[in-house]
Each structure stands twice: as structure tokens, then as C-alpha cells.
Amino acid sequence: MTRLSLATLPSITTAKTPNYRREQLTAGIVHFGVGNFHRAHQAVYLDALFNTGSGHDWAIIGAGVRAADAAMRDALGGQDWLTTVVAQEADSSSARVTGVMIDYLEPGDSEAVIAALTDPAIRIVSLTITEGGYYIDPASQRFDPAHPDIAYDAAHFWAPRTAFGLILAGLVKRRAAGIAPFTVMSCDNIPGNGHVTQNAVAGLAGLIDPALPDWVNTAVAFPNGMVDRITPATSAREKTLLAEQFGIEDAWPVFCEDFRQWVLEDNFPAGRPALETVGVQFVKDVAPYEHMKIRILNGGHATIAYPAGLMDIHFVHEAMEHPLISAFLRKVETEEIIPIVPPVPDTDLAGYFALCEKRFANPKIGDTIRRLALDGSNRQPKFIIPSALDRANANASLTGLALVSALWCRYCFGTTDSGTVIAPNDPSWDRLTTQAKKAQEHPQAWLEMTDIYGELAGN
């Protein structure tokens, strides 16, 4: 057994290790939200780039604003910021150790984070803060300036608590020092994630100085991007598998599928790493790719999550093995979702969905139904309800999509079909459970959540 660290890297023979040295790297990116997806996606692309011998001035400094970020920092700090990433397919498993992160700022130390953001060497600030981290009003899908976290940052500009407050403070300090703005790059599953991030930063800016949003909107770049790699949460299972199969002890390894995709708008005025050399697609308009992924893949996950959860199914691949669930997914996708997804350059939508089915059915990935069912109050308005609204506006059938909402409602009732209690799985769980219980007798009660269903609430 080898405990992961810089000192033990030379002795690891069961995994691919960096052929670059830590002292060769300098930071060019500050990243908010160092979770599993970031470490399986953006960090892996950078690791591949660094292994070619180039891009060594684009290393990552981690940052975070949540209590959970401190636990990740402690785990990674004990192994010199290294991460083991295990890619698993039905017939293969491979491991690599990435070393692209060279520091991780202490969560809550806003002064240190702002100082890092002011460094001229930092040319990109990236984010994976989940769909629920952007302060979006679910019904309007617009930035919510009245949220208490945003109000706090507006009142404490130089000691903010949110990623957007820290980003804005860093931008303002750079402007005062005559330093060009960094590019802000969202890597979250949100339609128009660059625009959403821009609206959050500019929206907060408007609470501080009426003239500041104009500068943000004209001087700072917010490229849109589509990201994709199925990456489950890490549990004792993954740590044990890593130890047994690869002989590596990692405090917080990442397990994921082999597939990965990243499509980015090429809008980086401060410069960017040459990620196109390691498989990133740079395009003028990412919207078609993003629309496809969010509606078909993420919408597909939402479609199977709740029936599987109600049937006490634990793993996603087990759900795909159930004939009712797999048939339901195919029917909803082929009859209601895919027909309203606009064409995507050089992409066959039916083929893309077939690939999604294969990925969902991967027996090694260990993705859980509970993860897919998490945070429906933020995910449904992004992954399912837009498709239902498009169908309604086209006077087309939306029976399957309505059933997805009904199954979500039934899940939020709080028990599975066997009577097992479902542990809270949403930031708004108490509210959802209350509405679901009302809906048992009066189904319209579920649609009374107009902040989630918007104009569909009256349909």
C-alpha cells in the first residue's frame, strides 16, 4: 500500500503519474469548488496538457466558500494537493494521479482569496459550485439579488462570503491597480452558464455601485461552456477499491467514467491554456451542445432518478437493468425530449442518446440514484421543466414529462413504495414534503410552487 504524496509518487507503478514536476508549475487559474467533478474533468484536461510539456503556467489554486470545502482542503493538503482519478468502464479500469493544483486557499479567508485574484498571473477564474450555487430564482431563471447571501456581500464588499462577491472584489482591485481583468469560466451544468455567471457578478455589482455593472459587462469575459463526465460521490467503497485494485491510499479519490467532453466558447481575452491539444472543443456558440446535454443527458438522469428511488434501487446501472425504468427513459427521450432539441453540429441526437444509455448502464461506475435525485428544486427547473414548457407551447403531448414531475412529487412525499423513509435530499426538503403531502389529495398543490413551475403552474 502506498500513501499518496509527492514523496511517494516515484514508487507508484499501478497508475499514470505526472511527468511534470510540481516546481515546474506556476498558477494561472483560481478555481472555486474543488469537488469530485472538477478533479475528474478540468483538472484531468490540464494534467493531460501539462504532460505534453506545455501550459505549465496554468496551474490551479483552489478556493471555496462552503464548510464542506474545508474538509476537501484538509484531505488534499495531507497528500500535497494530489488526486487519484480512476476511470471505469464495464471491461476496464485505469488510474492516474493529477498534480495540477499547487495550493488551496483556506475557505473563509476572504483577504487571501482576494489577494490571489489580484495577482496578474491569474488570468482565469473557474467555478464548479453546482446548479444551486448561482442564486437563480427557479421560476424566472434569473439572478436573485434579494438572496440573504448576496445582500450580505453587498454590505460587506471586502469580506464577502460568496464566490461572486470574491470574484467582484478581485476584479475591482485589479481595475484600481491597472491590471487587466481575468476571464470568469463556469463549469457547471446550467443553460448559458457564462451568461448566468455574468448576471450574478453584474447583479451583485449593481447593489454596490450603479455604474459598476456596465464595467463588468463590457470589460470581463464570461465564456459559455458545456461539461460532461459522470462522476459519483466518493465513499468508503471507492477508497477500498482504489486500495485493493491499485495499492494506493488516497484520502479522497475520484471515480468516474472514461468518457469526458468539454465544449467552450473561445472568449479568453486574458489568454488561455492550449486545451484544444488535449480534446477540448472551442466553438463560436456552445448553446446547441449545451442544450443537447442538459435536455438529453441531465434530463435523462432526472427521468430515471425518482421511479428508481421509489423502488429502493441503489445504483444507476441497476435502474437501467429494470425493464420498466429503461423503457420509460427511452419513451420520454425519444417521444418528448429529443424531438424538441435543436440540431447540433456534426452530432446525431439519436446516437448521442444511445451513448447516454450505455453510460448510464455502466456497472462499474457506482453512480447512485440518490445523487441523481439530489436537489430537484434546483435541477428540475433546468433539466425537465423547460422541455415540458416547450412541449406545452407547441401544443404537443407532454404526458411523460408530466409523469416525471409526478414521480418527483411522490419521491418528496418522503417514503419509498416499500415504506422506507427517504432521508432529506434537497435544500428545500421540508417545503417539498409539505406540498407533496397536500398533493396526495389535491395534485394541483404541487404546481402551486410557481417559483419552480413558472407559467406551467397553471397548465
Side-chain angles (χ1 to χ4, degrees), residues 409-410 413 434-446:
C409 172
R410 173 63 186 84
F413 188 84
T434 297
Q435 293 303 117
K437 289 178 178 178
K438 291 179 181 178
Q440 188 176 33
E441 297 296 332
H442 304 286
Q444 186 67 28
W446 189 250

Side-chain angles (χ1 to χ4, degrees), residues 34 129 156 246 273 297 436:
V34 182
I129 56 176
H156 303 82
F246 297 96
L297 185 138

Side-chain angles (χ1 to χ4, degrees), residues 155-416:
H156 303 82
F157 183 59
W158 296 113
R161 293 177 177 173
T162 74
F164 305 112
L166 291 162
I167 287 170
L168 183 61
L171 287 168
V172 169
K173 285 201 75 170
R174 289 173 80 104
R175 182 176 68 164
I179 303 169
F182 45 70
T183 296
V184 184
M185 178 179 70
S186 170
C187 299
D188 280 301
N189 284 318
I190 298 175
N193 56 10
H195 300 315
V196 170
T197 308
Q198 181 177 8
N199 290 341
V201 177
L204 175 58
L207 301 177
I208 296 162
D209 178 351
L212 195 52
D214 287 342
W215 178 78
V216 169
N217 289 326
T218 57
V220 185
F222 297 85
N224 291 300
M226 184 269 264
V227 297
D228 193 6
R229 193 173 206 182
I230 295 174
T231 309
T234 299
S235 67
R237 170 185 179 270
E238 284 71 34
K239 294 177 185 180
T240 299
L241 286 172
L242 179 65
E244 292 176 349
Q245 296 180 10
F246 297 96
I248 299 172
E249 180 184 345
D250 186 321
W252 207 320
V254 178
F255 278 57
C256 55
E257 62 178 338
D258 189 57
F259 177 90
R260 66 179 188 265
Q261 186 177 18
W262 195 0
V263 184
L264 271 171
E265 290 175 354
D266 201 354
N267 181 20
F268 292 82
R272 63 167 177 81
L275 291 168
E276 68 274 16
T277 64
V278 290
V280 177
Q281 297 170 260
F282 284 93
V283 299
K284 290 183 178 180
D285 182 13
V286 77
Y289 302 90
E290 185 179 62
H291 199 102
M292 171 186 72
K293 192 259 179 174
I294 288 174
R295 296 289 183 97
I296 298 176
L297 185 138
N298 295 115
H301 269 161
T303 298
I304 66 175
Y306 301 106
L310 291 169
M311 297 166 74
D312 297 295
I313 295 173
H314 183 69
F315 288 115
V316 176
H317 72 271
E318 294 172 334
M320 293 298 292
E321 291 167 359
H322 196 292
L324 283 176
I325 294 176
S326 58
F328 177 52
L329 170 67
R330 172 163 284 276
K331 187 173 180 66
V332 172
E333 290 273 15
T334 58
E335 295 185 10
E336 296 187 3
I337 295 178
I338 294 173
I340 56 170
V341 173
V344 180
D346 303 317
T347 303
D348 172 55
L349 295 181
Y352 178 79
F353 171 59
L355 177 61
C356 290
E357 288 182 298
K358 179 181 178 182
R359 293 166 63 193
F360 293 177
N362 184 341
K364 277 193 176 180
I365 193 66
D367 202 6
T368 64
I369 290 298
R370 182 169 174 82
R371 185 187 79 86
L372 301 194
L374 172 70
D375 202 13
S377 61
N378 276 302
R379 292 180 172 183
Q380 290 278 318
K382 298 174 180 66
F383 302 158
I384 292 295
I385 294 171
S387 291
L389 181 60
D390 285 351
R391 299 287 297 182
N393 288 339
N395 292 317
S397 169
L398 44 73
T399 304
L401 290 163
L403 183 50
V404 173
S405 272
L407 289 163
W408 176 41
C409 172
R410 173 63 186 84
Y411 179 88
C412 292
F413 188 84
T415 59
T416 70

